[in-house]
Amino acid sequence: MTGRLVVVGLGPGSAAQVTPEALAAVEASEDFFGYIPYLDRLSLGPHQRRHASDNREEISRAEQALRLAASGGKVCVVSGGDPGVFAMAAAVCEAIESGPSEWREIDFSVVPGVTAMLAVAARAGAPLGHDFCAINLSDNLKPWSLIEKRLRLAAEADFAMAFYNPRSASRPEGFVRTLALLRELCGDARPILFARAVTTAQETLHIVPLGQARADMADMRTMVIVGSSRTRIIERARGPILYTPRGIPDEAAG
Amino acid sequence: MTGRLVVVGLGPGSAAQVTPEALAAVEASEDFFGYIPYLDRLSLGPHQRRHASDNREEISRAEQALRLAASGGKVCVVSGGDPGVFAMAAAVCEAIESGPSEWREIDFSVVPGVTAMLAVAARAGAPLGHDFCAINLSDNLKPWSLIEKRLRLAAEADFAMAFYNPRSASRPEGFVRTLALLRELCGDARPILFARAVTTAQETLHIVPLGQARADMADMRTMVIVGSSRTRIIERARGPILYTPRGIPDEAAG
């Protein structure tokens, strides 16, 4: 008997940013897999079961969830933010592809959410208002050489850049190198935004020029956005607005 | 007397993807500015006023909204998807920066939403599960030379690519050129996803190899996603899953 598996995005933290679709998917599920802090955000009933796991165990979590769904379970895998951006949706797909053929018969779906970079951008103004890229800086899953190549090409394309997982406790030197490279590519004046724990009571936002950015301004709860060459700051008594205009005049295009 | 202005993202179309935060911001506002189809998605009370405008009038709409907010209004500017991605948040910021100084005193905020590329990616599987970029293909706001440069660099960086506004009725030849360039850069076998009117009753999704993609597969309600070199299709009786694995093994990194 084949069951179903839904991967649900809970948004960046605030209950006010969880969609009705996500809440309905949670309510309709019986077994919940996920990283502990995300499971802690759910209000579960007595018939609903938690299967918590650590952050590094994405593939084994996906496989456990798929095994239970294949045996008829109503399974929910939870992610913060959007599950399709550097999160559990791809991990479940990887497990389906390499797993037994019956896993392809599972009713599999993904419920999107507000991903961290959009919640952060909204708080700051509109830094992603023009073409941009999203890069996972964690080097657990790819070599530094590829991160460096992408940073160089993204800067040449003049994308605004959103960075997920900028700084890991185990490999803090990676973000030091990233900041040094960004200063070389974009110059010391380019604005960089550090946003921590956005939409929660611990939220902080700091905009500084790249020349003043230090690696310890980020931790694993921080999202970092670097502007394009056209990103601007509007100074106000209420605090700065960071935004990237929608268009580029012909004469300014490289 | 200074009022407030909130820019609200209504998500891609389904009411189930509108956040409680967005609904609360609508309820707390009295004057609504936006493109007609987005205003039509609101359930307004008798004390709430619509100020509809055409899609091309973003700056004049922003200025009208700011004038009303500066005179004490409770103003809401609505966007589909997320207002920070190729939408009204940046237009309002542009107007604030170039407008009278009292506009900087307005209580200005942005409420994020589920942007189209994330809703589309969720429906397809997880094509944006690894590093990606988002490019607005409308050439109203930037020259083709810059779009071409960004496509070349994004392909070299091996980003998955999400395209907003792929094909305008007034300039359909731009998307013909885009597809020809993508075939040159990524090869005929690379998967491309056309998703139209996602989360609505008219939703359609088609995944084809780039060699079979035709410009008329997209219109202004279509979001297009092109995979990276590592994006995969899982064939199933239930229909294909399109996804990009989270990591890249060291030996495969260019």
Side-chain angles (χ1 to χ4, degrees), chain A residues 16-18 20-21 58 84 94 97 105 128 130-132 134 136 141-142 150 157 232 238 243 246 248, chain B residues 16-18 20-21 58 84 94 97 105 128 130-132 134 136 141-142 150 157 232 238 243 246 248:
Chain A
Q17 290 183 356
V18 182
E21 183 181 36
E58 294 185 343
E94 289 167 42
E97 189 175 19
E105 295 164 26
L128 305 178
H130 191 67
D131 301 340
F132 65 93
N136 186 351
L141 293 167
K142 61 177 178 273
R150 287 188 174 153
R232 305 182 56 76
R238 291 176 167 277
Y243 86 100
R246 298 159 304 142
I248 296 206
Chain B
Q17 290 183 356
V18 182
E21 184 181 36
E58 294 186 344
E94 289 167 42
E97 188 174 20
E105 294 163 27
L128 305 178
H130 191 67
D131 300 341
F132 64 93
N136 187 350
L141 293 168
K142 61 176 177 274
R150 287 186 175 155
R232 306 184 54 78
R238 291 176 168 276
Y243 86 101
R246 298 160 303 143
I248 296 205

Side-chain angles (χ1 to χ4, degrees), chain B residues 110-123:
Chain B
V110 180
V111 172
V114 174
T115 187
M117 66 179 167
L118 300 186
V120 165
R123 280 286 203 258

Side-chain angles (χ1 to χ4, degrees), chain B:
Chain B
M1 190 186 86
T2 286
R4 53 187 163 79
L5 188 154
V6 58
V7 189
V8 171
L10 296 177
S14 163
Q17 290 183 356
V18 182
T19 66
E21 184 181 36
L23 288 180
V26 167
E27 194 170 315
S29 300
E30 291 175 353
D31 287 275
F32 296 82
F33 290 83
Y35 180 41
I36 299 157
Y38 304 141
L39 290 178
D40 285 346
R41 291 175 53 194
L42 304 175
S43 301
L44 300 182
H47 66 294
Q48 295 179 308
R49 291 170 292 271
R50 288 164 53 111
H51 306 262
S53 48
D54 193 59
N55 207 9
R56 298 285 171 120
E57 300 170 5
E58 294 186 344
I59 281 294
S60 68
R61 178 192 304 150
E63 289 169 346
Q64 287 172 48
L66 284 160
R67 269 195 294 275
L68 190 53
S71 71
K74 296 174 181 169
V75 176
C76 181
V77 175
V78 293
S79 271
D82 179 85
V85 177
F86 312 127
M88 283 306 297
V92 172
C93 292
E94 289 167 42
I96 290 172
E97 188 174 20
S98 61
S101 61
E102 62 261 31
W103 287 3
R104 301 185 184 211
E105 294 163 27
I106 293 168
D107 178 2
F108 165 69
S109 61
V110 180
V111 172
V114 174
T115 187
M117 66 179 167
L118 300 186
V120 165
R123 280 286 203 258
L128 305 178
H130 191 67
D131 300 341
F132 64 93
C133 64
I135 298 178
N136 187 350
L137 286 182
S138 168
D139 54 6
N140 296 322
L141 293 168
K142 61 176 177 274
W144 164 254
S145 60
L146 182 60
I147 294 175
E148 177 175 345
K149 178 181 173 183
R150 287 186 175 155
L151 292 172
R152 289 186 182 279
L153 292 164
E156 191 180 345
D158 203 19
F159 286 131
M161 306 179 208
F163 298 123
Y164 286 73
N165 304 315
R167 189 162 182 264
S168 63
S170 57
R171 301 189 193 177
E173 72 281 5
F175 192 51
V176 175
R177 283 190 288 188
T178 298
L179 288 178
L181 182 60
L182 287 169
R183 276 192 290 271
E184 173 199 324
L185 298 169
C186 306
D188 281 354
R190 183 72 58 88
I192 180 170
L193 166 66
F194 293 87
R196 186 170 185 282
V198 80
T199 80
T200 75
Q202 294 83 42
E203 175 178 306
T204 59
L205 266 80
H206 295 293
I207 303 167
V208 296
L210 261 177
Q212 293 174 26
R214 297 188 322 271
D216 64 6
M217 291 175 175
D219 64 13
M220 283 308 281
R221 294 188 73 191
T222 307
M223 155 71 50
V224 173
I225 294 178
V226 173
S228 77
S229 71
R230 300 189 58 81
T231 300
R232 306 184 54 78
I233 295 173
I234 306 175
E235 298 292 354
R236 301 181 308 164
R238 291 176 168 276
I241 295 174
L242 183 71
Y243 86 101
T244 307
R246 298 160 303 143
I248 296 205
D250 279 19
E251 64 270 21

Side-chain angles (χ1 to χ4, degrees), chain A residues 10-73:
Chain A
L10 297 177
S14 163
Q17 290 183 356
V18 182
T19 67
E21 183 181 36
L23 288 180
V26 167
E27 194 170 316
S29 299
E30 292 175 352
D31 286 275
F32 296 82
F33 290 82
Y35 180 42
I36 299 156
Y38 303 142
L39 289 178
D40 285 345
R41 292 174 54 195
L42 304 174
S43 301
L44 300 182
H47 65 295
Q48 294 178 307
R49 289 171 293 272
R50 287 164 53 111
H51 307 260
S53 49
D54 193 58
N55 207 9
R56 298 285 170 119
E57 300 170 6
E58 294 185 343
I59 281 293
S60 68
R61 178 193 304 151
E63 289 169 346
Q64 287 172 48
L66 285 160
R67 271 194 293 274
L68 190 53
S71 70

Side-chain angles (χ1 to χ4, degrees), chain A residues 165-168 194 196-197 215-223:
Chain A
N165 304 316
R167 190 161 182 264
S168 63
F194 293 86
R196 186 170 186 280
D216 64 6
M217 291 176 175
D219 64 13
M220 283 308 280
R221 294 188 74 191
T222 307
M223 153 72 50

